[in-house]
Amino acid sequence: MRIQFILCVLLLSSLVGFSQQDSQYTQYMYNTININPAYAGSRGVLSIFGLHRSQWIGMDGAPTTNSFSVNSPISNTNIGAGISFVNDRIGPTDENTISVDLSYSIKTSENYKLSFGLKGTGNFFNLNAGKLKPANAADPKLQNLRNNFTPNFGAGIYLHSNKFYAGISVPNFLEEVNYNDNSVAVNKEKMNFYFLSGYVFDISTDIKFKPAFLVKTVEGSPLQADFSANFLIYEKFTAGIAYRWDSSISALAGFQVTQGLFIGYGYDRETTKLQNYNSGSHEIFLRFELFSSYDRIISPRFF
């Protein structure tokens, strides 16, 4: 009962305060296209990515995210393209987002490319008021709720080489508001600003080290900062740790099964009082890539 009460307070606070945030990922370094459209095609191959995240295990109605994306460069052009789908379920809310990404890259030096990206998005939002069990069933905020569709668009810039990357992006520029039939705002989508960067250091011929970070800011919420440190060993095994500022600490692992197939796992443990009410968060992903005979990535990349 106590857990349900805490979660209900969190959910209602987000509804009343019109604060909605994009999906949260611990392994953002592999899932960059969801937050920055300029990433599309940057790996030079057809890349297929799927992720599942179960957050705050043990709490009723805790967030669950499923993400799937495909992106690729377009042959003999400087253009990259991708499409992605994200499903977010948090308590009584269910959101489905479909996005199309386009990027254009220019070579700034022998080793670096600068990419510009545009994202077009359609968001389907549903609130099941029957799961809220409010004390006042006649509350106008919970009456005549509709399944809402809202379009949006975003943009990003991505500078990258084989060892370095940095990007700035805003996935959604429009601050859309969903209303019920009583003209009461049910949720509001705010602009999220992202900045991420990472670098790969060659420790030896068999070990590579990559520190990375992601900073995210949105009006009405505290600044979110993620820091990670991963080691790539024998171009097969990846292991590392991550820290989300004033929120959680994570363990990361990955394995390059074949040249084209990579599997990764992350476990988050809260560092706040919320750790008393859940057993952590789990995140698993698969990345499958198709290589052409004339354009191959000789060694696995960190990003």
Side-chain angles (χ1 to χ4, degrees):
M1 179 65 68
R2 188 178 183 184
I3 293 176
Q4 292 176 338
F5 172 77
I6 292 173
L7 185 59
C8 186
V9 169
L10 291 173
L11 291 170
L12 290 177
S13 295
S14 66
L15 291 174
V16 174
F18 309 116
S19 175
Q20 177 185 324
Q21 293 202 16
D22 292 344
S23 303
Q24 176 175 283
Y25 304 103
T26 296
Q27 299 173 111
Y28 53 86
M29 65 289 292
Y30 303 110
N31 197 32
T32 305
I33 195 167
N34 273 5
I35 61 174
N36 192 332
Y39 183 81
S42 66
R43 289 184 58 80
V45 296
L46 175 66
S47 184
I48 303 169
F49 185 91
L51 177 146
H52 171 79
R53 177 179 176 85
S54 293
Q55 191 164 324
W56 302 339
I57 298 299
M59 293 183 67
D60 292 338
T64 300
T65 300
N66 291 291
S67 173
F68 176 80
S69 65
V70 179
N71 77 92
S72 173
I74 297 177
S75 298
N76 302 317
T77 72
N78 294 326
I79 299 173
I83 185 170
S84 60
F85 170 79
V86 178
N87 171 257
D88 260 330
R89 285 174 290 170
I90 307 176
T93 68
D94 192 339
E95 281 191 87
N96 292 289
T97 302
I98 300 175
S99 300
V100 176
D101 302 287
L102 289 174
S103 70
Y104 183 83
S105 300
I106 57 175
K107 198 165 185 178
T108 58
S109 69
E110 182 178 351
N111 297 318
Y112 282 87
K113 287 184 178 181
L114 181 63
S115 301
F116 303 88
L118 292 175
K119 179 186 289 286
T121 298
N123 180 269
F124 300 84
F125 175 83
N126 177 50
L127 171 62
N128 186 348
K131 293 184 178 181
L132 291 176
K133 298 179 181 179
N136 179 14
D139 189 333
K141 292 182 180 180
L142 305 176
Q143 303 304 309
N144 304 317
L145 299 172
R146 300 187 300 260
N147 295 334
N148 291 285
F149 169 78
T150 53
N152 217 315
F153 71 98
I157 301 173
Y158 188 68
L159 176 68
H160 59 100
S161 68
N162 285 333
K163 289 185 174 295
F164 171 82
Y165 69 91
I168 300 174
S169 61
V170 180
N172 296 309
F173 280 118
L174 303 180
E175 297 192 342
E176 299 287 350
V177 182
N178 288 319
Y179 296 93
N180 65 6
D181 289 343
N182 296 321
S183 298
V184 175
V186 177
N187 81 310
K188 180 176 182 179
E189 185 166 339
K190 288 182 172 289
M191 283 196 296
N192 289 258
F193 298 84
Y194 292 89
F195 176 70
L196 78 167
S197 184
Y199 190 87
V200 179
F201 295 92
D202 293 320
I203 303 300
S204 69
T205 55
D206 298 321
I207 300 176
K208 301 180 189 298
F209 171 63
K210 190 199 78 172
F213 71 87
L214 168 70
V215 176
K216 171 184 172 182
T217 179
V218 59
E219 181 186 354
S221 295
L223 180 74
Q224 179 180 306
D226 290 63
F227 305 92
S228 64
N230 280 290
F231 290 89
L232 177 62
I233 304 169
Y234 296 114
E235 297 186 347
K236 285 288 185 180
F237 303 97
T238 301
I241 59 173
Y243 174 69
R244 181 168 295 120
W245 186 267
D246 200 27
S247 177
S248 63
I249 188 168
S250 309
L252 310 175
F255 179 62
Q256 193 77 39
V257 183
T258 66
Q259 185 184 26
L261 180 62
F262 182 75
I263 182 171
Y265 170 77
Y267 173 76
D268 301 351
R269 186 63 180 171
E270 292 291 320
T271 57
T272 66
K273 292 182 180 180
L274 195 60
Q275 65 179 305
N276 298 322
Y277 308 104
N278 72 89
S279 58
S281 304
H282 300 273
E283 192 174 282
I284 186 169
F285 72 86
L286 289 170
R287 184 180 65 199
F288 179 69
E289 296 181 317
L290 297 177
F291 299 83
S292 64
S293 59
Y294 56 85
D295 186 15
R296 302 176 63 192
I297 295 178
I298 302 302
S299 62
R301 273 180 49 185
F302 256 128
F303 52 90

